[in-house]
């Protein structure tokens, strides 16, 4: 009886050892097979991602200063919002606030309500914008502008 119990215990232990060895072998083989894949396939898939840039969007950007002088820019970008595109071009600067980006400087010209009671008003196709510049999606061929207002 003792011998049968010992044989069962030994066979259970042996089964556990075999299962562990099989699992370790399968894991190691999986890593080996991954390393056997041609490096071209890996690099091709990663270069395809980098070779396909987002399509460029074009729009016109107009700055109207406090004297009414207009300066026009043609913007071509892969950004998705007007704010991101203008920030990337270095055309606007501001502070992030509760309502998004508060633009204080456009094309090097400062308008700060706290200082001189002027601000930069954002327009889309000549209409006062209902969204902030950082939340406005770029529409191909649209005209966006900032005007100093009191």
């Amino acid at each position: 009886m003792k011998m049968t119990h010992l044989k069962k215990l030994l066979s259970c232990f042996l089964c556990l050892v075999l299962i562990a060895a099989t699992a370790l072998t399968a894991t190691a083989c999986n890593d080996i097979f991954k390393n056997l894949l041609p490096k071209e396939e890996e690099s091709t898939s990663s270069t395809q991602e980098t070779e396909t840039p987002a399509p460029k969007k074009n729009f016109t950007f107009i700055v109207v200063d406090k004297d009414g002088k207009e300066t026009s820019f043609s913007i071509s970008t892969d950004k998705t919002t007007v704010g991101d595109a203008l920030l990337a071009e270095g055309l606007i600067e501001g502070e992030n606030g509760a309502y998004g980006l508060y633009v204080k400087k456009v094309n090097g010209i400062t308008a700060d309500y706290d200082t001189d009671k002027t601000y930069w008003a954002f327009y889309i196709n000549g209409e006062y914008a209902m969204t902030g510049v950082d939340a406005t999606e770029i529409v191909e061929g649209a005209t966006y502008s900032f005007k100093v207002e009191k």
Side-chain angles (χ1 to χ4, degrees):
M1 181 95 172
K2 287 183 182 181
M3 201 59 153
T4 308
H5 184 66
L6 184 61
K7 285 182 182 180
K8 285 183 182 180
L9 188 61
L10 187 60
S11 82
C12 282
F13 178 73
L14 185 59
C15 282
L16 288 175
V17 169
L18 286 174
I19 290 171
T22 304
L24 289 174
T25 304
T27 304
C29 288
N30 191 21
D31 291 340
I32 290 170
F33 286 125
K34 282 183 184 176
N35 292 335
L36 291 177
L37 286 175
K39 297 296 180 188
E40 284 180 30
E41 288 182 22
E42 290 176 9
S43 63
T44 303
S45 65
S46 64
T47 54
Q48 284 177 346
E49 291 173 14
T50 56
E51 286 177 11
T52 320
K56 296 271 185 183
K57 295 180 182 175
N58 301 298
F59 65 91
T60 301
F61 176 60
I62 299 172
V63 179
V64 182
D65 66 16
K66 63 183 174 186
D67 298 324
K69 180 184 172 203
E70 288 189 13
T71 307
S72 181
F73 300 89
S74 292
I75 307 293
S76 180
T77 185
D78 58 354
K79 304 291 184 187
T80 56
T81 66
V82 177
D84 286 343
L86 297 177
L87 285 168
E89 294 288 325
L91 290 169
I92 63 172
E93 296 176 33
E95 300 171 354
N96 284 317
Y99 302 105
L101 181 66
Y102 174 45
V103 177
K104 289 189 171 186
K105 190 181 276 190
V106 178
N107 197 28
I109 304 166
T110 302
D112 186 355
Y113 191 81
D114 297 331
T115 307
D116 58 5
K117 303 296 182 218
T118 61
Y119 67 96
W120 286 106
F122 180 52
Y123 289 83
I124 303 171
N125 294 324
E127 304 264 334
Y128 195 85
M130 294 294 124
T131 56
V133 68
D134 57 339
T136 302
E137 297 281 327
I138 296 171
V139 174
E140 179 75 26
T143 299
Y144 303 99
S145 57
F146 271 106
K147 298 177 183 178
V148 174
E149 295 191 356
K150 283 196 169 214

